[in-house]
Amino acid sequence: MIKIDNRNIFFEKLKTGINLFTGAGFSVLESPAGKKLPPAHELADDLRKFFQLPSTYTDLEMISAILKRNCKDEFQKYLKEKYTVSDYNLLYNVLNKITISSIITTNIDNLIPSIIDNSNRYYLNAISYYGPTKRDGLSIEYIPLHGDVLKAGSEFYFGKFEICNANNQNMSLFSMMEGALRCKPTLFWGYGFHDGSVSSVIHRILELGKHDIWIQLQPGNEYIQFFRDLGCNVIESDTENLLKEIDKEIVADSNNSISLSEEKKDIFGNRYSIPSLNQVESLPVSDFYREGKTHWYYALTGSAYMCRYVNDTINASLVEKNVLIIGIPLCGKTMILMQVACKIGKIVYFIDDLNINSAKLICNKVSELNSKITLIVDNCSEDMAAYKMLAEHPNIKTIAASDDFTFESSKHLLDNVSYKKINILDIERGEAQRIYSSIPENLRKTPFRYKENENDKYSMLELITLNVKDVLSKQKIEQLLRRVKTNNKEAFELILLTSYLVYHKSALTTDILIAYYNLMDVETIKQKIKVTQSYLSDLDISIEEDVVDQDYYTLRSALFVRYTYDVATHNFKEDYGEIIKKFVKNVYPCRIYKNYVFRRSAYDANLFYTIFSYNGDSVYEDIFKYDSSAYTLQQWALYKAKTNRFSEAFSDIDRAIHLQPNNFSIRNARAIILFEANSDKSTIEAKNALKEAMGILEECYKSDKRKIYHAQKYAEFALKLSEKHNNDYINQALLWIKELIDKEDSTSKYTKHLYEKLNSCTIRNRRN
């Protein structure tokens, strides 16, 4: 019989919220196909045989130490294959019936992600990849302490020495583990307590005395009384029987079941619902026009001009399952989506932080209830694989938006998805005049101004800049920053840090500030934000708390974020560089909201060269300590090429290619380095190297579905070569660029600019 100390309290916590801390003993059940994950002694035997080690090696710690030193890559690959499960024992599905706050594990397998993939209540947020998420009632934070087979490049740890070392290398994960354990009661399940770092955390939690701890142990275990004497509750059971006991108790307690009728009222709680007018703050219309502030208030009240793309989108959505709005940054895509949501005349849901796991939850819920929904997705190309999952679901209609550049680089993932694309083009004169007329008279400049020549851009940004009084400008922001820097260096630092985070698609959080300033007092953090806000109010800009989770802050003025980024990189390089250095050194990725999106541009080689010039290596060294991925090596290599250290750059890019041999973006980077290393030389060796670089780009273009970037880079190089040599590359470049434009694979101004230059070069060559 199962013995559970404080049984009634335990099952109550399974309803109200509990942490799970799992070890090897949790993952022991056999799958329907008869497969089991090996325990430590079996793994040691398997490794010894596979790697042909002497029979004297019987201890897993010893074997792990030898293999990591002598053949690390092969060892890690073996572990990944061994611990990746394709199915699991259905008893584990009981996890999807209880209320889980977070899951911490010392296992490296993907058992728990596989289980939660089938949930219609939660999605799993792996903070080591995605960063933290807002407390929305839908996510479970997942903290794999010793590696994760689902994370590319993850290192796996076995043995006492390695586990202690893992704590040093993953300090932030252990810190977040402690934070989670402090917030809710915890069930330790199948955990052997070999890790001294975890044991010390348990002692601190017990000393606080705020939350109960249950520890599952096999009946007859010698440590049962020891843990009871420490003040822990003990569950005497094996994993299989505990799963059955929990399932039996949940079935018996009908109140613990989710009411289907309640869920149908709002299948996602309030997480993705469109707010009503009484749920949002009232804002002056001047904020919309002067600061480019995007907010539900302007869509709900109709105070923002409704451009033609709103009706175009709704009209397309009536006959198309998926509609995609594509345009340059700051052209008004998010406001169009909000206006569509308010006008469409049916219940819709709105999501702006999509990832693959939240997409799985949405699909599971819709399938479970057999509902048909319309889902509006902002910034869908932040995770195009996740968007594809939604777009392919038979019961989900999508209306989505994306910046043109990110869409062009990821749209190949939608090759088999049916969708209608709506390109946000320059505002035509007639509509521009109507928008101008809708601007309150006290805000309008006179006379109305349109583009001066046909090739100029004219998006909402240009319209506002040319036609609105006292509009936010780079000059005003520079003046503000100089004033704040003089009066309060800390507020100046916080403004630039917030802008850095928001510009790269993340957000300021109390967790980030705690790590950045090395403080534990949340009230001190909030006071810093309050002081900073007092300076920003001079420009009517605000650092706003998120409505879902008040530990998150953002800047809703797109203009302020864009202009502050430009001003910081050009007028405050040294200050900005020191802030980024401090951020990289103090704030680990698992604390960065939407880290999977943030990292794509926040450590870019061009940005770092602009800011740090020849002094950026130390920053990349710090990044590499916690993200030794091919992407980090790629950006570091491109940075080294910009500082003319080509041999080092080649070494790094070759290491990146070794890690991801089929990644054409990395091969493209090698072509860039090869070209830049030889473009100013005229030797035969240099000419051969340039030819090789162009050959790499040709291969990338022909083999990779992401053709636009390769074609653009090929065109750039062809034009550079044409300045010194007559070359055969111009015609090929022109052909590819023209094909992209004709097929509307690329609508960007830059692609059209390249076409015009290539065409002019072709005409010039014919004359010569």
Side-chain angles (χ1 to χ4, degrees), residues 1-2 7 11 91 94 97 240-254:
M1 180 180 173
I2 291 177
R7 178 189 176 94
F11 282 105
L91 283 175
V94 74
K97 299 178 182 179
E240 181 176 0
N241 284 309
L242 180 54
L243 287 168
K244 289 178 178 178
E245 187 74 5
I246 293 172
D247 194 38
K248 182 178 73 175
E249 187 76 18
I250 287 172
V251 170
D253 183 4
S254 59

Coordinates of all heavy atoms in Angstrom, one line a residue, residues 1-2 7 11 91 94 97 240-254:
M1 N 0.8 -1.2 0.0 CA 0.0 0.0 0.0 C 0.9 1.2 0.0 O 1.9 1.3 0.7 CB -0.9 0.0 1.2 CG -1.8 1.2 1.3 SD -2.8 1.2 2.8 CE -3.6 2.8 2.7
I2 N 0.5 2.3 -0.8 CA 1.2 3.5 -0.8 C 1.0 4.3 0.5 O -0.1 4.5 0.9 CB 0.7 4.4 -2.0 CG1 1.2 3.7 -3.3 CG2 1.3 5.8 -2.0 CD1 0.7 4.4 -4.6
R7 N -1.4 13.2 3.4 CA -2.0 12.8 2.1 C -3.0 13.8 1.6 O -3.0 14.2 0.4 CB -2.7 11.4 2.3 CG -3.4 10.9 1.0 CD -4.3 9.7 1.3 NE -5.0 9.3 0.1 CZ -4.6 8.5 -0.8 NH1 -3.5 7.8 -0.6 NH2 -5.3 8.2 -1.9
F11 N -2.7 16.0 -2.1 CA -3.7 16.0 -3.2 C -4.3 17.4 -3.4 O -4.6 17.8 -4.5 CB -4.7 14.9 -3.0 CG -4.2 13.6 -3.4 CD1 -3.9 12.6 -2.4 CD2 -3.9 13.2 -4.7 CE1 -3.3 11.4 -2.7 CE2 -3.4 12.0 -5.1 CZ -3.1 11.1 -4.1
L91 N 0.6 6.0 -18.6 CA 0.4 6.4 -17.2 C 0.9 7.8 -16.9 O 0.4 8.5 -16.0 CB 1.1 5.4 -16.2 CG 0.4 4.0 -16.0 CD1 1.2 3.1 -15.2 CD2 -1.0 4.2 -15.4
V94 N -1.0 11.4 -16.5 CA -1.6 11.9 -15.3 C -1.1 13.3 -15.0 O -1.7 14.2 -14.4 CB -1.5 11.0 -14.1 CG1 0.0 11.0 -13.6 CG2 -2.4 11.4 -13.0
K97 N -3.2 16.2 -15.8 CA -4.4 16.4 -15.1 C -4.2 17.2 -13.8 O -5.2 17.5 -13.1 CB -5.1 15.0 -14.7 CG -5.4 14.2 -16.0 CD -6.0 12.9 -15.6 CE -6.3 12.0 -16.8 NZ -6.8 10.7 -16.4
E240 N 5.4 3.8 -10.8 CA 4.2 3.3 -11.4 C 3.0 3.4 -10.5 O 1.9 3.9 -10.9 CB 4.4 1.8 -11.9 CG 3.2 1.2 -12.6 CD 3.4 -0.2 -13.1 OE1 4.5 -0.7 -12.9 OE2 2.4 -0.8 -13.7
N241 N 3.1 3.0 -9.3 CA 2.0 3.0 -8.4 C 1.6 4.4 -7.9 O 0.4 4.7 -7.7 CB 2.3 2.1 -7.1 CG 2.2 0.6 -7.5 OD1 1.1 0.2 -8.0 ND2 3.2 -0.2 -7.2
L242 N 2.6 5.3 -7.9 CA 2.3 6.7 -7.5 C 1.4 7.3 -8.6 O 0.5 8.0 -8.4 CB 3.5 7.5 -7.2 CG 3.3 8.9 -6.9 CD1 2.3 9.1 -5.7 CD2 4.6 9.6 -6.5
L243 N 1.8 7.0 -9.9 CA 1.0 7.6 -11.0 C -0.4 7.0 -11.0 O -1.4 7.8 -11.2 CB 1.7 7.2 -12.3 CG 3.0 7.9 -12.7 CD1 3.7 7.2 -13.9 CD2 2.7 9.4 -13.0
K244 N -0.5 5.8 -10.7 CA -1.9 5.2 -10.6 C -2.7 5.8 -9.5 O -3.9 6.0 -9.6 CB -1.8 3.6 -10.5 CG -1.3 2.9 -11.7 CD -1.1 1.4 -11.4 CE -0.7 0.7 -12.7 NZ -0.5 -0.8 -12.4
E245 N -2.0 6.0 -8.3 CA -2.7 6.5 -7.2 C -3.2 8.0 -7.4 O -4.3 8.3 -7.1 CB -1.8 6.5 -5.9 CG -2.4 6.9 -4.6 CD -3.3 5.8 -4.1 OE1 -3.4 4.7 -4.6 OE2 -4.0 6.1 -3.1
I246 N -2.4 8.8 -8.1 CA -2.8 10.1 -8.4 C -3.9 10.1 -9.4 O -4.9 10.9 -9.2 CB -1.6 10.9 -9.0 CG1 -0.5 11.1 -7.9 CG2 -2.0 12.3 -9.5 CD1 0.8 11.7 -8.4
D247 N -3.8 9.3 -10.4 CA -4.9 9.2 -11.4 C -6.2 8.8 -10.7 O -7.3 9.3 -11.0 CB -4.5 8.2 -12.5 CG -5.4 8.3 -13.7 OD1 -5.8 9.5 -14.1 OD2 -5.7 7.3 -14.3
K248 N -6.2 7.8 -9.8 CA -7.4 7.3 -9.1 C -8.0 8.4 -8.3 O -9.2 8.6 -8.3 CB -7.0 6.1 -8.3 CG -8.2 5.5 -7.5 CD -7.7 4.3 -6.7 CE -6.9 4.7 -5.5 NZ -6.6 3.6 -4.6
E249 N -7.2 9.2 -7.6 CA -7.7 10.3 -6.8 C -8.3 11.4 -7.6 O -9.3 11.9 -7.2 CB -6.5 10.8 -5.9 CG -6.9 11.8 -4.9 CD -7.6 11.1 -3.7 OE1 -7.4 9.9 -3.5 OE2 -8.3 11.8 -2.9
I250 N -7.7 11.7 -8.7 CA -8.2 12.7 -9.6 C -9.6 12.3 -10.2 O -10.5 13.1 -10.2 CB -7.2 13.1 -10.7 CG1 -6.0 13.9 -10.1 CG2 -7.9 13.9 -11.8 CD1 -4.9 14.1 -11.0
V251 N -9.7 11.1 -10.6 CA -10.9 10.6 -11.2 C -12.0 10.6 -10.1 O -13.2 11.0 -10.3 CB -10.8 9.2 -11.7 CG1 -12.1 8.6 -12.1 CG2 -9.9 9.2 -12.9
A252 N -11.7 10.3 -8.8 CA -12.6 10.3 -7.7 C -13.1 11.7 -7.4 O -14.2 11.9 -6.9 CB -12.0 9.6 -6.5
D253 N -12.2 12.6 -7.6 CA -12.6 14.0 -7.2 C -13.1 14.8 -8.5 O -12.3 15.4 -9.2 CB -11.3 14.7 -6.6 CG -11.6 16.1 -6.2 OD1 -12.8 16.5 -6.2 OD2 -10.7 16.8 -5.7
S254 N -14.3 14.8 -8.7 CA -14.9 15.4 -9.9 C -14.6 16.9 -9.9 O -14.6 17.5 -11.0 CB -16.4 15.1 -10.0 OG -17.1 15.6 -8.9

